[in-house]
Amino acid sequence: MPYNAAAPLEKMIEKLAMRSSLLDGDRAALISLPHSIASYDPGSYIIRDGDIAVRCIVLISGFAFRHKITRHGGRQIVSIHMPGDIINLNNIHIGLSDYNVQAVTSCTAVTIPVKDLQELLIDNSAISAAFFTISLVEASSYREWMLNLGRRDARGRVSHLLCEFAVKLDTLGIGPGQSYDLPMTQEQIGDAVGLSAVHVSRTLKSLAQDGLITMNKRGIGLPNWNRLKDEAGFNARYLHISE
Amino acid sequence: MPYNAAAPLEKMIEKLAMRSSLLDGDRAALISLPHSIASYDPGSYIIRDGDIAVRCIVLISGFAFRHKITRHGGRQIVSIHMPGDIINLNNIHIGLSDYNVQAVTSCTAVTIPVKDLQELLIDNSAISAAFFTISLVEASSYREWMLNLGRRDARGRVSHLLCEFAVKLDTLGIGPGQSYDLPMTQEQIGDAVGLSAVHVSRTLKSLAQDGLITMNKRGIGLPNWNRLKDEAGFNARYLHISE
DNA sequence: CGATACATTGAGAGGAATCAAATTGTGTGG
DNA sequence: CCACACAATTTGATTCCTCTCAATGTATCG
């Protein structure tokens, strides 16, 4: 059952289809890509800065993030990835990794030889356009994160991250929109928004006190989506989820 | 003289060729793209956040930057563009602009209908790969900027920007590497690295006092490239200039 | 029940923002 | 060549935000 065996790739295909219309033939071409399954423990590195990558890795379950580290040890998380994401999209055309990818939770992934993907892109312009578009949307997200890091205060930064998470989980059909499990420690949140873990704690508490969010354990509740969005200056447009 | 008339496109083609090997046929296909010339005054907007763009714009001379603005008026410059850059690469596949582009100096540009570019990408996989790669390199640069914004102090941020400028100008053959004209005000530098103009002034002075740079008017001298690189934690790898 | 990881809280220090003012640079026109 | 206006930079004083350090609280798990 080749089709069934390829079921994991469906998550990636759905993401691609969100970005560019794919015909049945395109889907079949994607499913027939040679690939294998890998799994990763929480905290383990999937890719290391400086690696030469020869396989593209598609996250199937779990969460992972990309990060970079300064010479002084400062860590910056640059993106957070969910099932269906290609966690090293750049390696399609650039061998050298300029970031680390680390599993947040237990992760399973599909790995595909870059060579095979490149050949597919040469043969199939629709799929090529879909991958290209994914990369352009990633860049859009990076721009919004830069705005967050450079020009918003602590409350704005944290609430913006919470908003983005809510919308992306909702798109995946994971969270109900009202509340969700945040699979990150406060230290990781801090590394994503350029704050210390301590200050993230304070900021979350402050947001909770003002009724913008509720918290229990790792769960985040969004009792007042509009006020949270307003605090964050959040506009989902940059995610280009539906045009 | 169709070839001559298309000379402006050469700048873009060189940048594409840096990223992916182009054959003579590929170059001919690019040169034959329909296009027209536009020019922009310093400070004028070339693209506005929210626009639906139907033409791609290739900078031929001058400098421009992309920026985003928060609800409270905070501005974040997310990238700085030089001759040969496509200043709205995302519009190849995404119509809606999520950022502004503003001319820093007087600029001339070539504009190409998106539709024609898309058709070219469908027909020519080598050119498609080159554009895709450009986008991936942009993303790499964004990641480095995020690290700069989130996890470096004022001196590190400013010196990192100066290093990036030096390397990019050098690649273009504009600066001699020892010194160059920085075509940005201190306010613009601040908006690029997430600082106030006042603090940029202080930081530049501090760098100059320590002998890392020299300053006169808009000119920046780099008397000690190694020490500056060290201060910035700069490693040009992320620019993927030569693999 | 300790061991460990994560979260909370407080005190203090420091970096950068803001506000305000002075200075310098740049260009224009008389 | 000077006077003027305007933009950009520099400097100082003050305030505020966030960090660091340290201590404590709270789960979770073997």
Side-chain angles (χ1 to χ4, degrees):
Chain A
M1 294 182 290
Y3 193 94
N4 213 12
L9 279 172
E10 285 291 353
K11 277 210 150 63
M12 175 184 76
I13 294 170
E14 281 322 304
K15 288 236 170 177
L16 287 166
M18 274 177 60
R19 305 309 184 182
S20 181
S21 49
L22 296 181
L23 304 178
D24 285 347
D26 302 324
R27 286 167 182 265
L30 285 164
I31 286 179
S32 66
L33 279 168
H35 61 273
S36 53
I37 306 283
S39 64
Y40 304 92
D41 290 328
S44 66
Y45 277 77
I46 305 178
I47 292 187
R48 280 180 190 279
D49 192 351
D51 282 355
I52 304 286
V54 296
R55 302 180 74 88
C56 276
I57 300 174
V58 182
L59 201 57
I60 299 305
S61 72
F63 295 86
F65 53 70
R66 298 183 185 150
H67 72 261
K68 293 174 73 97
I69 300 176
T70 68
R71 199 163 32 90
H72 304 295
R75 182 174 75 160
Q76 180 63 45
I77 293 175
V78 299
S79 57
I80 301 169
H81 294 281
M82 301 184 178
D85 287 354
I86 302 160
I87 61 169
N88 60 336
L89 189 60
N90 57 322
N91 287 326
I92 288 182
H93 287 307
I94 300 173
L96 191 63
S97 299
D98 61 273
Y99 52 81
N100 306 283
V101 181
Q102 206 172 354
V104 186
T105 61
S106 287
C107 290
T108 59
V110 160
T111 77
I112 306 169
V114 163
K115 180 176 52 64
D116 294 296
L117 263 175
Q118 286 174 339
E119 283 166 13
L120 179 61
L121 296 195
I122 290 171
D123 293 340
N124 187 313
S125 67
I127 293 176
S128 175
F131 275 84
F132 193 172
T133 306
I134 296 264
S135 155
L136 296 171
V137 172
E138 261 189 17
S140 171
S141 182
Y142 284 157
R143 285 189 288 270
E144 187 68 28
W145 277 44
M146 276 192 263
L147 182 62
N148 211 31
L149 287 164
R151 292 302 186 206
R152 278 197 262 261
D153 63 14
R155 281 171 63 105
R157 293 189 205 186
V158 172
S159 43
H160 195 278
L161 184 72
L162 295 178
C163 286
E164 179 174 316
F165 236 93
V167 169
K168 289 176 80 172
L169 288 174
D170 193 45
T171 305
L172 276 178
I174 294 180
Q178 303 280 346
S179 72
Y180 59 86
D181 282 330
L182 188 62
M184 297 172 75
T185 68
Q186 293 185 349
E187 181 166 17
Q188 288 166 345
I189 296 173
D191 284 341
V193 299
L195 298 171
S196 67
V198 175
H199 207 61
V200 169
S201 174
R202 270 188 268 266
T203 305
L204 284 171
K205 189 192 170 191
S206 150
L207 291 171
Q209 274 175 344
D210 293 356
L212 299 184
I213 61 172
T214 60
M215 295 193 299
N216 50 349
K217 317 221 178 168
R218 283 290 172 75
I220 295 284
L222 310 180
N224 197 329
W225 175 243
N226 283 330
R227 277 184 62 209
L228 186 67
K229 250 175 49 177
D230 193 54
E231 174 74 36
F234 182 82
N235 182 332
R237 204 171 37 125
Y238 73 95
L239 294 171
H240 299 285
I241 287 170
S242 59
E243 286 202 52
Chain B
M1 293 183 290
Y3 193 96
N4 215 12
L9 278 174
E10 285 290 355
K11 277 210 152 62
M12 174 183 76
I13 294 170
E14 281 321 303
K15 288 235 170 180
L16 288 166
M18 274 177 59
R19 305 308 183 183
S20 180
S21 49
L22 296 181
L23 305 177
D24 284 348
D26 302 324
R27 286 167 182 265
L30 285 163
I31 285 178
S32 64
L33 280 168
H35 62 271
S36 54
I37 306 283
S39 63
Y40 304 91
D41 290 329
S44 65
Y45 277 77
I46 305 177
I47 292 187
R48 280 180 191 279
D49 193 351
D51 282 356
I52 304 284
V54 295
R55 301 180 75 88
C56 276
I57 301 175
V58 183
L59 201 57
I60 300 305
S61 71
F63 294 85
F65 53 70
R66 298 184 186 150
H67 73 261
K68 293 176 74 94
I69 299 175
T70 67
R71 199 164 31 91
H72 304 295
R75 182 173 75 159
Q76 179 64 45
I77 293 176
V78 298
S79 57
I80 301 169
H81 294 281
M82 302 184 177
D85 287 354
I86 302 158
I87 61 169
N88 60 337
L89 189 59
N90 57 322
N91 287 326
I92 288 182
H93 287 306
I94 300 173
L96 189 64
S97 299
D98 61 274
Y99 53 81
N100 307 282
V101 182
Q102 206 173 355
V104 186
T105 60
S106 287
C107 290
T108 58
V110 161
T111 77
I112 307 168
V114 164
K115 181 174 52 62
D116 294 296
L117 262 175
Q118 286 173 339
E119 283 166 13
L120 179 60
L121 297 195
I122 290 171
D123 293 340
N124 188 314
S125 67
I127 293 175
S128 176
F131 275 85
F132 193 172
T133 306
I134 295 264
S135 154
L136 296 172
V137 173
E138 262 189 17
S140 172
S141 183
Y142 285 158
R143 286 188 288 268
E144 187 68 27
W145 277 44
M146 276 192 260
L147 182 62
N148 211 32
L149 288 164
R151 290 302 185 207
R152 276 197 264 262
D153 63 13
R155 282 171 62 105
R157 294 189 204 185
V158 172
S159 42
H160 195 277
L161 184 73
L162 295 179
C163 284
E164 178 174 318
F165 236 92
V167 169
K168 289 175 79 171
L169 287 174
D170 193 47
T171 305
L172 277 177
I174 295 180
Q178 304 282 342
S179 71
Y180 58 88
D181 282 332
L182 188 63
M184 298 172 75
T185 68
Q186 294 185 348
E187 181 166 16
Q188 288 165 345
I189 295 173
D191 283 341
V193 299
L195 297 170
S196 69
V198 176
H199 207 62
V200 169
S201 174
R202 270 188 264 265
T203 305
L204 283 171
K205 192 191 167 191
S206 148
L207 291 173
Q209 275 175 342
D210 293 354
L212 300 184
I213 61 171
T214 60
M215 296 192 299
N216 51 347
K217 317 223 178 165
R218 284 291 170 78
I220 295 283
L222 309 180
N224 197 330
W225 174 243
N226 283 330
R227 275 184 63 208
L228 187 66
K229 249 175 49 178
D230 193 54
E231 174 75 37
F234 181 82
N235 182 332
R237 206 171 35 127
Y238 73 95
L239 294 170
H240 298 285
I241 287 170
S242 58
E243 287 204 49

